[in-house]
Amino acid sequence: MPDAPIEASGLVRRFGATVAVAGVDLRVGPGRVHGMAGPNGAGKTTLLAMILGLVRPDAGEVRLFGRTHAADGARALDGVGGFVEAPAFYPYLTGRANLALLADLDGGGARDRIGAVLELAGLGAAAGARVGGYSVGMRQRLGLAAALLRDPRLLILDEPTSGLDPSGRRDVRALVARLAGEGVAVLLSSHDMDEVEDLCDDVTIVAGGRAVFDGTLAELRGRAPAPAFRLATGDDPAALALAADVPGVTAEARDDGLLVRAPRERLDAYVIALGRAGVAVRALALESSALRGAFFALTEGADA
Ligand SMILES: Nc1ncnc2c1ncn2[C@@H]1O[C@H](COP(=O)(O)OP(=O)(O)OP(=O)(O)O)[C@@H](O)[C@H]1O
């Protein structure tokens, strides 16, 4: 069996008295999109930085396609592209010139790929403008273009859609899905469980420097509590009483209506029961998705 794009075990990293990462294992297979989610300060960026060889672990080992930073030096990053935190560029140079500098450092065929990666990242039109004038989203796109210059088989992205507007997020998600379809392994961190749900095959949820969940998206869904909905009716006390009669549905009164927890098919039964009982449904909106519920259940109370 060929070596996995990422095989990391027992990773630990301290900063003074702070234990940023307290013993994490991670495996990412080819063509998989692996999400790393967790609250602020959970240790996501430190983990990605250790995997990219930017931060040295106090304990544990990272193997990228079987190579280690300690034994293989810069060669450990052959076939690996990515960035942690916001990607940095020269503001007085154009996007294209910044990529040309990086391509010269990388060598190989990187120079020939500049035009193509600018297009892929949706920056074709802005390639000739100085980076100093770029928006946060455009810098993010340039970071992605830079990561793609290396024609990676493994892409490591720290919050790649932060700072992007909805259409930018959609573009980046489509690009990640397309690359994964071509066999590229992608490890990305995200605060957005909807994005993780949309994009990822596998998920590691980190809290307080530990992996509190590591598995497939389907397994995470299996652990998820029922989603929550906000419900406004013509008669909340009657609706509350009716909820007790529908199996699988729980409801509680809130200042602005009711909060109802139920799997979707049970929710349908409840809404039909409300109609039959003459209770008007004025508004029904998703408050928290099942996956967000799982995220909160796993990370609440963790020392993050
Ligand atoms: N260079 C550093 N020096 C000191 N402490 C650090 C350093 N880098 C990270 N930390 C600390 O390590 C912990 C984990 O930080 P990290 O940035 O890895 O978390 P994160 O999950 O990426 O958070 P966020 O979602 O806010 O980006 C935090 O308590 C942070 O303050």
Side-chain angles (χ1 to χ4, degrees):
M1 208 167 90
D3 289 309
I6 301 178
E7 192 90 60
S9 57
L11 289 178
V12 174
R13 174 68 201 209
R14 297 178 202 90
F15 294 103
T18 304
V19 185
V21 176
V24 171
D25 301 334
L26 187 76
R27 186 180 192 282
V28 180
R32 303 295 282 184
V33 181
H34 193 115
M36 187 177 292
N40 287 127
K44 304 180 293 294
T45 298
T46 306
L47 268 167
L48 296 189
M50 283 195 281
I51 290 165
L52 275 170
L54 302 171
V55 165
R56 195 189 294 262
D58 291 318
E61 185 181 69
V62 175
R63 288 189 172 271
L64 304 176
F65 301 104
R67 296 184 296 261
T68 67
H69 296 291
D72 299 284
R75 283 208 50 236
L77 291 177
D78 280 357
V80 182
F83 55 79
V84 287
E85 307 199 283
F89 297 102
Y90 293 106
Y92 49 85
L93 295 179
T94 66
R96 188 186 301 279
N98 268 285
L99 292 192
L101 276 179
L102 290 172
D104 287 345
L105 286 175
D106 270 354
R111 248 201 185 260
D112 302 332
R113 296 175 48 79
I114 292 174
V117 299
L118 282 165
E119 288 300 327
L120 270 178
L123 265 184
R130 286 175 192 221
V131 169
Y134 277 18
S135 66
V136 174
M138 288 161 78
R139 281 170 205 249
Q140 201 72 357
R141 286 171 184 268
L142 189 59
L144 198 56
L148 293 173
L149 263 187
R150 322 194 74 196
D151 199 9
R153 287 179 297 133
L154 167 63
L155 199 52
I156 297 175
L157 304 171
D158 194 9
E159 294 185 35
T161 59
S162 76
L164 295 180
D165 60 19
S167 78
R169 283 204 290 276
R170 189 196 53 212
D171 290 352
V172 169
R173 290 180 193 185
L175 180 58
V176 165
R178 175 176 153 189
L179 291 166
E182 292 168 6
V184 176
V186 183
L187 172 63
L188 59 91
S189 68
S190 179
H191 278 124
D192 180 350
M193 286 309 283
D194 293 339
E195 176 167 286
V196 168
E197 181 157 30
D198 197 35
L199 205 54
C200 298
D201 306 301
D202 305 301
V203 193
T204 300
I205 296 184
V206 196
R210 295 185 185 279
V212 292
F213 175 85
D214 186 45
T216 64
L217 197 65
E219 285 162 354
L220 183 59
R221 274 203 200 97
R223 303 256 298 254
F229 300 87
R230 262 177 295 120
L231 174 68
T233 72
D235 184 349
D236 283 355
L240 205 54
L242 257 175
D245 296 338
V246 184
V249 175
T250 61
E252 58 189 271
R254 290 280 174 95
D255 289 346
D256 56 349
L258 300 179
L259 187 75
V260 178
R261 287 182 200 281
R264 283 193 188 261
E265 68 286 358
R266 302 316 305 156
L267 185 75
D268 289 349
Y270 177 50
V271 171
I272 291 166
L274 288 173
R276 287 219 175 100
V279 178
V281 172
R282 292 181 176 160
L284 180 63
L286 183 66
E287 166 97 356
S288 178
S289 72
L291 226 56
R292 263 186 279 161
F295 175 85
F296 289 127
L298 285 160
T299 57
E300 260 163 23
D303 183 27

